[in-house]
């Protein structure tokens, strides 16, 4: 956007244009105490956010120390969190993804309430978070399947492209329009041309397992919360098809029996995670 470079150079407090009035003044005041050495307008924003939203109040109590360290560089903090997500290992995913979700939700919430970020920046940050958590989940889970010898013909390096598997973001996620309560609508596909015909069923079985594990990883509610509710029902004929389809099968479905609304859903579709190049090729074909 015009002026974006200038806004990045400004401090968080200098970009605040509004502050909410707390419903629970006591809770807001408690949260603001940790920001006693900050500009008064920052303390007012923190108090208003915590006093209006129990969710944000809980995030401030848990990740307030992190927020203090990054508050004057919100744009850089977002980028750093997205980079950190991509570096998570498989054993770290369950807790690491939930921590990233908490931090980005807290940062976006304050930037939203304070008028620091535009609507497009808020929804874009949440959509980029969704892309990042799905991408790292697919790659690590596919890597584990490759290590077990369950993805025929693929080696460890192929995990960096999820061995031809891609997640297509649909609806609000595909259009960078996610809001705070959005689930993510995904269609999971794989590029069958990477596999010998004799290995097709083994490969599909592996990708089906990855998809189920990814959805559970993101959706399950733990002591650290959840990442995103994940909906896989926009895929072709979900009542009878596996949760991950070959691209050829999806193409044949849309060409022959796909309904108008199913084709129209692709107006906002975007290859968002995994093998992006393969996903963009599929979308071009569609």
């Amino acid at each position: 956007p015009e002026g974006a470079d200038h806004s990045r150079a400004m401090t968080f407090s200098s970009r605040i244009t509004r502050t909410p009035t707390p419903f629970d003044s006591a809770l807001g005041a408690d949260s603001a105490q940790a920001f006693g050495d900050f500009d008064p307008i920052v303390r007012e924003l923190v108090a208003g956010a915590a006093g209006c939203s129990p969710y944000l109040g809980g995030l401030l109590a848990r990740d307030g120390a992190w927020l203090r360290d990054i508050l004057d560089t919100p744009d850089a903090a977002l980028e750093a969190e997205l980079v950190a997500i991509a570096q998570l290992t498989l054993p770290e995913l369950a807790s690491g993804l939930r921590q990233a979700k908490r931090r980005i939700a807290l940062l976006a919430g304050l930037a939203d309430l304070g008028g620091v970020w535009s609507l497009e920046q808020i929804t874009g940050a949440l959509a980029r978070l969704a892309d990042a958590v799905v991408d790292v989940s697919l790659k690590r889970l596919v890597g584990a399947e490759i290590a077990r010898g369950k993805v025929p013909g693929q080696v460890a390096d192929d995990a960096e492209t999820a061995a031809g598997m891609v997640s297509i973001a649909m609806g609000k996620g595909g259009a960078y329009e996610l809001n705070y309560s959005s689930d993510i609508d995904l269609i999971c596909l794989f590029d069958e041309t990477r596999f010998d015909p004799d290995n097709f069923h083994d490969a599909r079985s592996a990708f089906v397992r990855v998809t189920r594990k990814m959805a559970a990883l993101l959706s399950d509610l733990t002591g650290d919360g959840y990442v995103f509710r994940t909906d896989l029902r926009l895929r072709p004929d979900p009542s009878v098809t596996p949760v991950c389809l070959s691209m050829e099968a999806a193409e044949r479905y849309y060409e022959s029996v796909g309904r108008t609304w199913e084709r129209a859903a692709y107006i906002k579709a975007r290859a968002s995670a995994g093998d992006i190049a393969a996903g963009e090729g599929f979308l071009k074909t569609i």
Side-chain angles (χ1 to χ4, degrees):
E2 185 178 354
D5 291 338
H6 173 66
S7 68
R8 290 192 187 98
M10 299 169 65
T11 64
F12 189 92
S13 59
S14 67
R15 294 159 63 181
I16 295 173
T17 60
R18 58 178 181 262
T19 55
T21 301
F23 297 134
D24 187 336
S25 298
L27 179 59
D30 289 343
S31 296
Q33 283 183 352
F35 294 81
D37 54 335
F38 278 70
D39 190 294
I41 197 171
V42 173
R43 297 198 298 273
E44 186 179 354
L45 174 61
V46 170
C52 288
S53 167
Y55 176 66
L56 288 178
L59 295 184
L60 281 162
R62 188 161 188 170
D63 290 290
W66 170 82
L67 184 69
R68 282 180 51 89
D69 290 339
I70 59 85
L71 192 57
D72 270 338
T73 55
D75 307 278
L78 171 62
E79 300 304 324
E81 282 300 308
L82 295 175
V83 169
I85 289 170
Q87 296 172 345
L88 292 172
T89 64
L90 183 59
E92 296 171 330
L93 286 182
S95 61
L97 296 182
R98 284 161 176 77
Q99 174 180 276
K101 169 64 180 295
R102 292 196 310 269
R103 289 180 172 181
I104 292 178
L106 176 58
L107 177 60
L110 289 180
D112 190 359
L113 290 170
V116 174
W117 282 353
S118 67
L119 173 62
E120 291 77 12
Q121 286 175 292
I122 297 295
T123 60
L126 297 173
R128 293 181 66 201
L129 168 64
D131 292 350
V133 301
V134 174
D135 186 68
V136 72
S137 298
L138 291 184
K139 290 175 178 178
R140 299 297 178 264
L141 291 167
V142 168
E145 291 292 316
I146 292 173
R148 294 173 56 224
K150 299 298 184 180
V151 190
Q154 305 297 294
V155 297
D157 288 346
D158 291 313
E160 286 308 303
T161 57
M165 183 179 178
V166 65
S167 168
I168 306 294
M170 307 293 287
K172 293 190 293 291
Y176 291 103
E177 295 171 347
L178 285 186
N179 61 52
Y180 297 106
S181 62
S182 295
D183 59 4
I184 51 175
D185 295 298
L186 306 176
I187 294 178
C188 292
L189 306 169
F190 70 96
D191 180 5
E192 75 286 344
T193 64
R194 292 183 65 150
F195 302 94
D196 291 335
D198 290 344
N199 294 327
F200 172 84
H201 292 290
D202 288 339
R204 186 179 68 177
S205 295
F207 291 129
V208 166
R209 285 193 297 273
V210 165
T211 303
R212 288 174 175 162
K213 290 177 181 178
M214 177 269 293
L217 178 65
L218 300 184
S219 302
D220 286 353
L221 182 63
T222 72
D224 293 319
Y226 68 96
V227 189
F228 283 100
R229 297 183 303 275
T230 305
D231 192 339
L232 304 171
R233 293 174 295 177
L234 285 183
R235 69 185 185 274
D237 209 356
S239 63
V240 297
T241 57
V243 290
C244 185
L245 296 165
S246 71
M247 293 181 181
E248 180 189 26
E251 290 166 11
R252 283 191 280 106
Y253 175 85
Y254 292 119
E255 183 180 34
S256 58
V257 297
R259 290 163 288 181
T260 301
W261 74 264
E262 290 178 293
R263 297 190 183 96
Y266 276 84
I267 292 171
K268 293 185 176 183
R270 177 172 56 85
S272 63
D275 192 338
I276 300 294
E280 289 177 346
F282 169 78
L283 292 177
K284 183 178 180 180
T285 300
I286 291 296

